[in-house]
């Protein structure tokens, strides 16, 4: 077993899990191959991969590096994750609800739900503000608890 781990670089269960993932991916690809919109889905997926790897990742890696530099290492609980977590939540919500936040796709929304579309900018800002406020309260509570000790 140690020789397998040394040659493969991970435990045997990792190889089995990876093979299972490839099997599921292959099954999905076969199911989609007959779909008329399969090429559009593939192009969207490749575009999303390129946009993430070449645009988004360098942007948020640079922002994280700047955040780490500006916050530094002080005494007490670090504020780094108290900024990272709500920023991640706000960013993911923005990406998921991007058409609604920007007011795009109103016709599709109306056709799918028969409801009048409303822009979600206010809601997204409220949820994002709530995430940051909750994180700030938690950070303040942690600082007060440390000071009390």
């Amino acid at each position: 077993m140690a020789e397998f781990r040394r040659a493969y670089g991970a435990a045997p269960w990792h190889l089995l899990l990876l093979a299972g993932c490839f099997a599921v991916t292959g099954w999905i690809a076969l199911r989609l191959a007959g779909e008329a919109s399969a090429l559009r889905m593939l192009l969207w997926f490749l575009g999303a991969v390129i946009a993430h790897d070449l645009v988004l990742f360098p942007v948020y890696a640079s922002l994280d590096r700047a955040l780490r530099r500006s916050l530094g290492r002080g005494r007490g609980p670090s504020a780094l994750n108290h900024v990272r977590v709500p920023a991640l939540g706000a960013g993911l919500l923005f990406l998921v609800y991007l058409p609604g936040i920007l007011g795009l796709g109103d016709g599709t929304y109306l056709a799918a739900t028969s409801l009048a579309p409303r822009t979600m900018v206010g809601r997204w800002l409220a949820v994002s503000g709530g995430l940051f406020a909750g994180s700030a309260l938690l950070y303040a509570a942690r600082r007060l608890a440390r000071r009390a000790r």
Side-chain angles (χ1 to χ4, degrees), residues 7-24:
Y8 177 64
W13 62 265
H14 182 269
L15 181 62
L16 289 174
L17 184 65
L18 192 60
C21 288
F22 280 125
V24 169

Side-chain angles (χ1 to χ4, degrees), residues 59-102:
V59 167
Y60 63 73
S62 300
L63 287 173
D64 187 61
R65 181 174 290 150
L67 181 66
R68 272 190 279 144
R69 245 188 237 126
S70 68
L71 292 177
R73 288 299 287 167
R75 292 187 359 232
S78 171
L80 182 63
N81 285 336
H82 290 278
V83 175
R84 273 183 183 164
V85 171
L88 176 67
L92 288 175
L93 283 173
F94 182 75
L95 286 176
V96 168
Y97 295 106
L98 181 66
I101 291 170
L102 298 180

Side-chain angles (χ1 to χ4, degrees), residues 21-139:
C21 288
F22 280 125
V24 169
T25 303
W27 176 75
I28 291 171
L30 288 175
R31 298 282 296 183
L32 289 176
E35 294 289 326
S37 60
L39 183 61
R40 281 185 17 195
M41 285 188 265
L42 178 64
L43 288 175
W44 181 90
F45 181 74
L46 290 175
V49 167
I50 290 169
H52 175 266
D53 291 352
L54 296 179
V55 177
L56 290 177
F57 179 75
V59 167
Y60 63 73
S62 300
L63 287 173
D64 187 61
R65 181 174 290 150
L67 181 66
R68 272 190 279 144
R69 245 188 237 126
S70 68
L71 292 177
R73 288 299 287 167
R75 292 187 359 232
S78 171
L80 182 63
N81 285 336
H82 290 278
V83 175
R84 273 183 183 164
V85 171
L88 176 67
L92 288 175
L93 283 173
F94 182 75
L95 286 176
V96 168
Y97 295 106
L98 181 66
I101 291 170
L102 298 180
L104 305 172
D106 290 346
T108 306
Y109 183 80
L110 181 63
T113 63
S114 70
L115 298 172
R118 291 179 250 144
T119 57
M120 297 183 194
V121 176
R123 293 177 185 173
W124 173 71
L125 288 172
V127 170
S128 298
L131 288 172
F132 278 100
S135 184
L137 287 172
L138 181 62
Y139 178 68

